[in-house]
Amino acid sequence: MLNGTEDEEKWLAEGIAGIQHNAFYMHRALDSNNLREALKYSAQMLSELRTSKLSPHKYYELYMRAFDELKRLELFFKDDSKHGVSVVDLYELVQHAGNILPRLYLLCTVGSIYIKSKEAPAKEVLKDLVEMCRGVQHPIRGLFLRSYLAQISRDKLPDIGSEYEGDADTVMDAVDFVLQNFTEMNKLWVRMQHQGPGGVREKREKERSELQDLVGKNLHVLSQIEGVDLEMYKETVLPRVLEQVVNCKDDLAQYYLMDCIIQVFPDEYHLQTLETLLGACPQLQPTVDVKTVLSRLMDRLSNYAASSTDVLPEFLQVEAFSKLSNAIGKVIEAQLDMPAVGAITLYVSLLTFTLRVHPDRLDHVDQVLGACVKKLSNIPKLEDSRAMKQVVALLSAPLEKYNDIVTALTLSNYPRVMDHLDIGTNKLMAMVIIQSIMKNNSCISTADKVEVLFELIKGLIKDIDGADVDELDEEDFKEEQNSVARLIHMLYNDEPEEMLKIICIVRKHTMVGGPKRLPFTVSSLVFSALRLLRQLQGQEGDIVGEEASMTPNKIFQLLTQIIESLSAVPSPELALRLYLQCAEAANGCDIEHVAYEFFTQAFLLYEEEIADSKAQVTAIHLIIGTLQRMNVFGVENRDTLTHKATGYSARLLKKADQCRAVYACSHLFWVDDQDGIKDGERVLLCLKRALRIANAAQQMANVARGSGGPVSLFVEILNKYIYFFEKGNKQITSSAIQGLIELINTEMQSDSTNPDSVADAFLASTLRYIQFQKQKGGVMGEKFESIKL
Amino acid sequence: MNFLIGAFKPACNISITFSDGKSRKQVPMKKENGKTIMVSLFQSKESIAGKVSIEPLQGKKIEHLGVKVELLGQIEMYFDRGNFYDFTSLVRELDVPGDIYERKTYPFEFSTVEMPYETYNGANLRLRYVLKVTVSRNYGGSIVEYQDFIVRNYSPPPSINNSIKMEVGIEDCLHIEFEYNKSKYHLKDVIIGKIYFLLVRIKIKNMDLEIRRRESTGSGANTHVETETLAKFELMDGAPVRGESIPIRLFLSPYELTPTYRNINNKFSVKYYLNLVLVDEEDRRYFKQQEIAIYRQQDS
């Protein structure tokens, strides 16, 4: 069959030519009202349809040509003034044709007129036609003939309210007729698989699927019959259709027809006949894609349930869930070799269904998940990516529905399902869960739930055995870990005790995360703990000491441990910041030794771990800032710490950095609080030292580059002077400020200095400030009076 | 040859007319030369009356030895050309010997004639009824004129008319059961029935129902049998499977059938058969033949 299609084209062309040729003579006969000739040529024309050489597709083309011609013939038959033969006689006359196919086409054509004439009851004629059509047993020819019959009879069924309605129970006749035609067509369609010219199975299946709508059309007609009410559907239509479906034992037909039934009949019918419909599923051939069928059914029912709340009681009444659930179980049981994706798809559909129909029945959800776990546990390793996707869909569905992870956490089977995901998907799912929490701002408030939650998202929390670390995308990883960090903030309980438990659980989980994850999670955890601390303070001090587990000291110990874990990373900068945060918290709790300890840790880190000069600058400023706010320390401790800090400042690498750090240190000796330390002398010392450094920087710049260094340093120092001057530091005099201003002016005018607009503006606004203070008058005005600009 | 025609032209024109010829039903009859003419239709035990008129050619007189009219029922075998068997022969003398000078008309009547057999035109024989007028002469030979007419006899519906039902088959290959609603059909009847497939192991292409006519003439060693297929009616297209039941509805009216004739005058029989033929994809034919009786029913 090298040029099979070519041949087919040729045969089709021949067939069309034959039809046209005979149609021409038929038209001539019609025009001259010659019935005998008309019958002769129409029969010859229809004989072209007797070909066996065409594929369904091409045959259809031929059929349509003949169909159009038959319409003209029908008009002629209808008008008995033209041919003078009564319709009854005509009905006999066309049966004289020797060949069966033309004979039956003509019979159907006249039959339709016979019904219209109402000279015989519609049901009799229909019955006769559908019976006579048995003579064509060739699948394709039979299908098209019967489809012609269905076509011409569609508007002539003795339906309720139809003009062809007979005396009693004629809907039944209409239904019987359509059912019979359907049954016969389906038989022919199924037979196609086993008959006809040999060929590859796939080709035949393709050909058959081209014809499926011819068969399905009958079901559509059935659904359109007015008189098919629920009762009739339940008692007659569905059982008979299903009987045919089941008995035909053909996978293609079973799949298509089941789907067809689901699609063409109304939802409430399905609901009321669920048992029957589902009962047919396990009886289908094992190769039938039952899962898609069931999925579609459940989707339809879900949509139906969603369409209106009025219908929900119906669902309850018929126990739709348990029926569906049973059916699915049976199908999965029966079809052992159904791929995992199939089974899971079914569960997803069932889950969607129950979520829509019984949103209040969490047990249903859990039941579905449980069933899924059972199925999954029989599969050693889920590797099918489509199956994975379905599992994700399965797990996402409850999250979307309830907008609340808390609900999902109560589902005992939820984590068990997650266990069956591969690492990547597991992570993905974990992200979905976290995103859901974020989106809905849900607060996870008990330790148990947190435990479950972290069990769920363990894919993100730690390396799982066998994971290929190299494949990790850096950005994805950051995104994931940031999400985990954010999640930690969502865990909250007003009860400190519970909160502590939560923190401990989180710590337990996060500590195993390894050096890459810790920097992300530890800070969240630390701040979470610090929040607990504040919470504890907020609740009066009476709890303190009463319960051993809940002292701030305990929490601080915990904090220390948490931060220490960072040493493994190592991430000294982060650890330093956290220590400082903790120190500040300890300050808030008024626990000096703890605060001191944290500072010690911070300093140690600074000394031992932070080598980068930039990082040092940042760190030293942080240290100074924090230390400045500490009020818990006694003189001795404070001196030690400030001394250290000042010392570090002076040992920074760059002069400018040194200078800035040193003048920042000045604040350590002047805390603008009521009982803050106010050591004017040491402030001045710091500032002078800063000035010296600035000078040195200037000179170094001159030497090195032949141009002036940063004037801005001087301006910055000037600002410090002004600050302390305003604050009433007696050591800072107006003359000192005066001198500094002059110094700056000189520096700026020296030709070696590069003009620096930023420094200029800075100076200008500083001077403007002084001017402003002078003009303001009052105490401050007097103070500034002596400064000459 | 014109003079010859003139020479052998009969000396007179003889015409035979039936007295109720205008009202009597006329039916077509095929002549030997293939032409169809309309002739009067009679049935057994009718009286056949009419007139014979003899008109001599202008200015001629006919001397004759008598004029008679005969009613003949003949069976003519084609393979035995010229061999007539008259199974009926009735004579009416119309005139005593004498001369005819001008047109002369003789009425005649055969009352209540027994005509048990029907006019029949078969493959190997024909059965005809004819009126023969003979003007006997001494010289120049007798002048003879014929007038055909057709006889059809009607039968009442048979009191017993069983259906034909039979199961046939080839072992492990094809088993069918067929049923025809009657065993006796009238000429305008409809054959209703069905074929039920009990077992199908061959690839059937189609199935036809044939109506076959079996005409046998002669007897003993001289029997000639001629079988004709008068109808070939497709019952089924394509291959059925086990359990299929195919309907039969065959109208007999379009076909040129006659009633079944059994041993007519010991000369011939005409029988009809329904032949059910199944053709498989290798064009092998499987068939089963069943005789049916056909009778003529009075039109109501």
Side-chain angles (χ1 to χ4, degrees):
Chain A
M1 290 286 277
L2 266 174
N3 44 4
T5 35
E6 225 169 87
D7 281 350
E8 223 189 317
E9 289 291 346
K10 202 181 81 202
W11 291 319
L12 175 62
E14 278 170 12
I16 290 174
I19 285 185
Q20 282 170 340
H21 176 80
N22 286 303
F24 171 78
Y25 287 105
M26 185 185 86
H27 292 165
R28 239 171 41 172
L30 296 184
D31 291 341
S32 55
N33 295 337
N34 187 335
L35 178 63
R36 181 169 291 276
E37 292 277 289
L39 288 176
K40 178 181 152 196
Y41 286 111
S42 56
Q44 280 181 17
M45 173 186 82
L46 291 164
S47 289
E48 296 295 339
L49 291 177
R50 299 173 72 208
T51 177
S52 297
K53 291 172 176 170
L54 299 178
S55 69
H57 190 69
K58 296 274 189 276
Y59 191 85
Y60 176 74
E61 240 177 271
L62 203 60
Y63 164 82
M64 281 316 290
R65 303 264 179 166
F67 182 81
D68 291 341
E69 297 300 338
L70 283 174
K71 274 197 263 184
R72 295 192 56 166
L73 190 64
E74 187 185 346
L75 285 178
F76 173 75
F77 283 162
K78 210 181 278 179
D79 188 355
D80 59 6
S81 71
K82 284 195 169 169
H83 50 77
V85 177
S86 75
V87 67
V88 186
D89 290 343
L90 203 54
Y91 195 69
E92 183 193 318
L93 213 49
V94 292
Q95 295 186 61
H96 294 174
N99 281 321
I100 186 157
L101 198 69
R103 178 164 78 234
L104 291 176
Y105 272 105
L106 290 173
L107 191 66
C108 289
T109 311
V110 177
S112 92
I113 298 161
Y114 200 6
I115 298 172
K116 265 197 174 157
S117 74
K118 295 184 189 152
E119 283 180 39
K123 69 163 184 176
E124 302 285 334
V125 181
L126 290 174
K127 204 175 162 191
D128 189 49
L129 291 176
V130 79
E131 197 57 38
M132 291 312 283
C133 283
R134 281 177 186 276
V136 180
Q137 293 287 324
H138 184 274
I140 295 181
R141 293 195 285 274
L143 274 172
F144 276 94
L145 172 68
R146 285 184 178 275
S147 137
Y148 180 69
L149 173 60
Q151 179 76 24
I152 55 117
S153 63
R154 260 193 95 161
D155 53 347
K156 300 177 187 71
L157 299 173
D159 189 7
I160 284 181
S162 143
E163 54 176 312
Y164 307 104
E165 188 182 357
D167 310 330
D169 222 15
T170 55
V171 184
M172 205 56 209
D173 298 320
V175 169
D176 273 339
F177 166 74
V178 181
L179 276 174
Q180 198 184 341
N181 205 31
F182 160 74
T183 308
E184 293 300 326
M185 281 178 88
N186 190 46
K187 280 200 231 162
L188 291 172
W189 187 45
V190 170
R191 209 185 292 167
M192 252 182 99
Q193 193 65 39
H194 316 289
Q195 289 185 349
V200 249
R201 186 186 160 80
E202 281 142 49
K203 187 185 162 216
R204 231 181 289 172
E205 279 186 353
K206 186 178 155 282
E207 288 185 349
R208 282 189 61 202
S209 53
E210 285 171 358
L211 293 172
Q212 63 185 18
D213 287 342
L214 296 182
V215 184
K217 194 81 180 265
N218 287 298
L219 294 180
H220 187 243
V221 170
L222 273 179
S223 74
Q224 301 285 304
I225 296 179
E226 276 300 308
V228 176
D229 52 10
L230 177 58
E231 197 188 337
M232 180 172 286
Y233 178 75
K234 201 173 183 173
E235 300 299 325
T236 311
V237 177
L238 184 65
R240 284 184 55 186
V241 171
L242 284 181
E243 185 194 354
Q244 175 57 30
V245 172
V246 169
N247 289 344
C248 77
K249 293 193 166 44
D250 175 80
D251 48 356
L252 192 67
Q254 289 183 335
Y255 173 69
Y256 172 73
L257 292 175
M258 287 303 279
D259 194 34
C260 219
I261 294 172
I262 291 166
Q263 300 306 327
V264 300
F265 291 106
D267 300 310
E268 62 257 46
Y269 287 14
H270 292 320
L271 200 53
Q272 295 298 333
T273 55
L274 209 49
E275 206 152 358
T276 323
L277 191 57
L278 294 174
C281 289
Q283 298 178 56
L284 301 180
Q285 298 300 100
T287 42
V288 174
D289 185 5
V290 185
K291 63 168 196 305
T292 314
V293 171
L294 283 176
S295 298
R296 297 232 175 123
L297 175 62
M298 286 184 278
D299 289 349
R300 259 203 85 148
L301 290 179
S302 306
N303 289 332
Y304 178 52
S307 67
S308 155
T309 47
D310 298 343
V311 300
L312 288 180
E314 261 183 77
F315 281 87
L316 295 175
Q317 190 205 329
V318 301
E319 295 175 322
F321 174 79
S322 57
K323 282 179 187 166
L324 284 170
S325 176
N326 276 340
I328 288 173
K330 275 188 196 143
V331 165
I332 291 175
E333 223 171 88
Q335 303 199 356
L336 280 175
D337 45 356
M338 183 197 277
V341 60
I344 299 163
T345 312
L346 274 178
Y347 287 124
V348 172
S349 296
L350 181 60
L351 192 67
T352 318
F353 172 79
T354 182
L355 287 175
R356 290 231 180 121
V357 181
H358 311 289
D360 50 333
R361 297 293 297 269
L362 267 179
D363 54 331
H364 284 172
V365 178
D366 207 28
Q367 195 182 324
V368 176
L369 292 176
C372 191
V373 169
K374 213 173 122 198
K375 174 73 191 170
L376 286 172
S377 54
N378 293 335
I379 305 162
K381 183 88 185 147
L382 203 52
E383 265 161 359
D384 184 356
S385 66
R386 285 179 308 149
M388 282 298 170
K389 259 189 197 153
Q390 288 301 326
V391 177
V392 171
L394 185 76
L395 292 170
S396 307
L399 297 183
E400 277 159 27
K401 173 68 188 179
Y402 294 113
N403 281 332
D404 183 6
I405 185 71
V406 179
T407 316
L409 295 181
T410 56
L411 301 168
S412 62
N413 284 312
Y414 201 94
R416 294 170 61 196
V417 177
M418 280 198 74
D419 285 345
H420 289 281
L421 293 171
D422 67 19
I423 293 157
T425 321
N426 198 313
K427 278 188 185 169
L428 201 73
M429 197 55 228
M431 286 297 279
V432 170
I433 294 173
I434 294 175
Q435 274 154 11
S436 157
I437 296 175
M438 298 299 167
K439 202 177 83 198
N440 302 303
N441 225 351
S442 358
C443 178
I444 318 300
S445 58
T446 68
D448 294 346
K449 285 178 185 165
V450 171
E451 178 74 51
V452 177
L453 176 64
F454 272 80
E455 196 58 39
L456 286 185
I457 61 163
K458 65 183 174 211
L460 298 180
I461 301 299
K462 60 182 182 193
D463 291 327
I464 293 173
D465 298 338
D468 197 348
V469 189
D470 298 340
E471 272 181 28
L472 280 179
D473 184 280
E474 194 64 29
E475 245 169 73
D476 286 352
F477 180 76
K478 274 188 185 160
E479 168 83 27
E480 285 166 16
Q481 295 310 314
N482 279 330
S483 297
V484 175
R486 288 170 70 190
L487 175 69
I488 294 173
H489 290 296
M490 302 300 292
L491 316 174
Y492 179 72
N493 192 310
D494 281 336
E495 287 295 317
E497 221 171 308
E498 191 68 22
M499 188 63 205
L500 182 65
K501 273 192 206 160
I502 291 175
I503 289 172
C504 288
I505 289 165
V506 176
R507 172 169 168 253
K508 185 183 84 192
H509 285 282
T510 50
M511 282 307 119
V512 294
K516 290 185 84 172
R517 288 186 184 80
L518 280 175
F520 293 93
T521 46
V522 160
S523 38
S524 285
L525 193 55
V526 166
F527 281 100
S528 206
L530 290 175
R531 180 169 62 176
L532 170 64
L533 210 57
R534 280 196 298 282
Q535 208 178 320
L536 214 54
Q537 282 176 295
Q539 289 181 343
E540 307 301 315
D542 56 345
I543 300 172
V544 181
E546 267 182 34
E547 288 186 53
S549 65
M550 275 310 297
T551 58
N553 272 334
K554 272 270 178 198
I555 297 173
F556 283 122
Q557 278 167 23
L558 188 65
L559 281 166
T560 315
Q561 287 164 12
I562 294 170
I563 300 169
E564 267 171 4
S565 66
L566 278 177
S567 63
V569 178
S571 177
E573 288 105 359
L574 179 62
L576 181 117
R577 281 162 194 263
L578 294 176
Y579 277 132
L580 293 176
Q581 282 292 342
C582 292
E584 219 176 329
N587 183 52
C589 295
D590 216 13
I591 311 175
E592 184 181 1
H593 68 277
V594 174
Y596 189 79
E597 177 60 26
F598 280 124
F599 260 99
T600 317
Q601 293 297 337
F603 283 144
L604 279 175
L605 277 177
Y606 181 84
E607 282 174 8
E608 288 165 11
E609 307 280 346
I610 302 177
D612 179 63
S613 58
K614 260 191 198 155
Q616 281 183 344
V617 174
T618 318
I620 199 72
H621 280 283
L622 283 169
I623 290 172
I624 295 166
T626 314
L627 189 55
Q628 198 264 346
R629 283 195 296 279
M630 303 300 271
N631 52 22
V632 72
F633 292 127
V635 179
E636 200 177 319
N637 278 342
R638 189 177 177 88
D639 270 356
T640 319
L641 295 174
T642 45
H643 184 74
K644 268 281 179 203
T646 328
Y648 293 148
S649 305
R651 277 198 296 280
L652 287 170
L653 182 64
K654 280 156 78 180
K655 287 289 175 194
D657 290 337
Q658 274 181 22
C659 171
R660 287 193 178 103
V662 168
Y663 70 61
C665 281
S666 65
H667 287 286
L668 293 177
F669 306 103
W670 190 277
V671 178
D672 195 25
D673 276 342
Q674 220 170 6
D675 28 79
I677 180 170
K678 291 192 174 59
D679 188 343
E681 222 165 303
R682 288 176 76 175
V683 168
L684 187 61
L685 230 62
C686 282
L687 293 180
K688 279 187 172 162
R689 194 163 173 193
L691 262 179
R692 270 205 307 280
I693 299 168
N695 259 324
Q698 193 74 355
Q699 278 159 17
M700 272 174 69
N702 270 330
V703 172
R705 288 191 293 268
S707 67
V711 186
S712 51
L713 276 180
F714 293 108
V715 186
E716 283 162 29
I717 295 166
L718 172 64
N719 272 283
K720 292 291 165 198
Y721 268 91
I722 295 169
Y723 172 80
F724 286 110
F725 181 65
E726 262 182 36
K727 294 292 171 195
N729 188 339
K730 298 281 186 303
Q731 305 297 321
I732 311 294
T733 60
S734 57
S735 58
I737 293 173
Q738 185 83 52
L740 193 49
I741 293 170
E742 276 158 21
L743 172 71
I744 293 168
N745 281 333
T746 329
E747 281 293 332
M748 290 191 69
Q749 275 143 26
S750 89
D751 15 291
S752 64
T753 310
N754 285 332
D756 180 354
S757 60
V758 179
D760 286 353
F762 193 13
L763 178 64
S765 64
T766 310
L767 295 178
R768 214 165 37 242
Y769 177 76
I770 297 169
Q771 196 69 40
F772 169 73
Q773 289 291 12
K774 280 166 86 159
Q775 283 164 3
K776 209 163 73 175
V779 186
M780 208 49 81
E782 277 170 30
K783 251 187 141 173
F784 278 92
E785 196 52 50
S786 51
I787 302 171
K788 306 256 170 359
L789 296 174
Chain B
M1 298 267 280
N2 273 347
F3 73 96
L4 274 178
I5 292 171
F8 291 102
K9 215 173 169 187
C12 61
N13 284 329
I14 303 174
S15 70
I16 306 164
T17 52
F18 295 105
S19 50
D20 51 359
K22 289 219 171 93
S23 57
R24 183 161 286 279
K25 192 176 176 188
Q26 304 287 307
V27 292
M29 188 184 87
K30 229 179 206 165
K31 302 259 288 175
E32 291 102 321
N33 59 12
K35 280 188 183 156
T36 304
I37 54 163
M38 300 301 281
V39 295
S40 294
L41 174 68
F42 290 86
Q43 56 177 309
S44 187
K45 291 183 181 152
E46 274 191 300
S47 292
I48 297 169
K51 286 173 187 156
V52 173
S53 59
I54 297 170
E55 194 176 7
L57 293 178
Q58 200 63 40
K60 295 253 177 96
K61 69 158 190 178
I62 301 168
E63 279 177 46
H64 63 85
L65 300 171
V67 178
K68 62 175 180 184
V69 59
E70 291 167 281
L71 190 154
L72 300 173
Q74 300 178 319
I75 294 171
E76 180 184 349
M77 304 289 191
Y78 295 156
F79 57 87
D80 191 11
R81 190 78 191 159
N83 199 348
F84 296 93
Y85 300 93
D86 291 352
F87 56 87
T88 294
S89 178
L90 300 169
V91 185
R92 294 284 182 273
E93 298 290 344
L94 296 178
D95 207 353
V96 292
D99 296 339
I100 300 172
Y101 298 96
E102 57 187 358
R103 179 192 170 94
K104 201 169 179 188
T105 303
Y106 311 93
F108 68 91
E109 181 175 353
F110 301 95
S111 54
T112 339
V113 190
E114 285 284 349
M115 295 181 287
Y117 311 131
E118 287 197 349
T119 306
Y120 172 71
N121 242 317
N124 285 326
L125 71 113
R126 67 173 175 171
L127 186 153
R128 70 190 286 230
Y129 286 94
V130 68
L131 285 171
K132 181 181 180 189
V133 174
T134 313
V135 180
S136 314
R137 292 199 291 183
N138 254 342
Y139 54 94
S142 299
I143 306 167
V144 180
E145 178 65 30
Y146 296 96
Q147 173 64 49
D148 280 284
F149 64 94
I150 282 180
V151 172
R152 288 179 183 169
N153 289 322
Y154 302 97
S155 318
S159 53
I160 300 168
N161 199 346
N162 293 324
S163 64
I164 300 174
K165 200 170 176 179
M166 190 172 279
E167 193 185 317
V168 291
I170 308 160
E171 202 171 12
D172 292 332
C173 182
L174 179 69
H175 277 269
I176 62 171
E177 187 182 285
F178 62 83
E179 181 176 355
Y180 309 126
N181 60 334
K182 301 175 190 170
S183 48
K184 294 161 186 163
Y185 294 91
H186 62 79
L187 290 169
K188 308 274 184 236
D189 218 341
V190 191
I191 299 175
I192 307 282
K194 63 169 190 274
I195 296 108
Y196 186 73
F197 285 85
L198 297 162
L199 176 81
V200 191
R201 294 246 175 89
I202 50 173
K203 286 185 173 174
I204 296 173
K205 201 160 69 177
N206 61 344
M207 175 168 70
D208 294 335
L209 188 61
E210 294 174 345
I211 302 177
R212 290 160 75 86
R213 172 157 69 195
R214 190 160 170 277
E215 178 190 290
S216 57
T217 46
S219 57
N222 293 325
T223 311
H224 279 71
V225 176
E226 188 76 34
T227 308
E228 262 182 286
T229 301
L230 299 180
K232 189 165 184 273
F233 188 76
E234 194 181 17
L235 288 179
M236 184 184 73
D237 168 27
V241 293
R242 200 165 65 93
E244 282 301 343
S245 158
I246 307 298
I248 305 171
R249 184 189 292 152
L250 172 57
F251 290 90
L252 296 180
S253 57
Y255 307 106
E256 289 181 6
L257 306 180
T258 68
T260 299
Y261 302 133
R262 284 185 208 285
N263 204 15
I264 298 299
N265 207 36
N266 279 324
K267 289 283 180 295
F268 74 99
S269 294
V270 175
K271 291 179 179 176
Y272 287 91
Y273 296 87
L274 286 179
N275 192 24
L276 184 68
V277 185
L278 291 103
V279 184
D280 73 7
E281 286 190 338
E282 273 91 46
D283 281 327
R284 279 188 294 254
R285 289 159 63 87
Y286 307 82
F287 57 89
K288 178 68 189 173
Q289 195 159 287
Q290 282 292 305
E291 188 184 350
I292 52 167
I294 294 182
Y295 63 97
R296 191 183 301 280
Q297 192 179 40
Q298 184 85 51
D299 293 341
S300 55

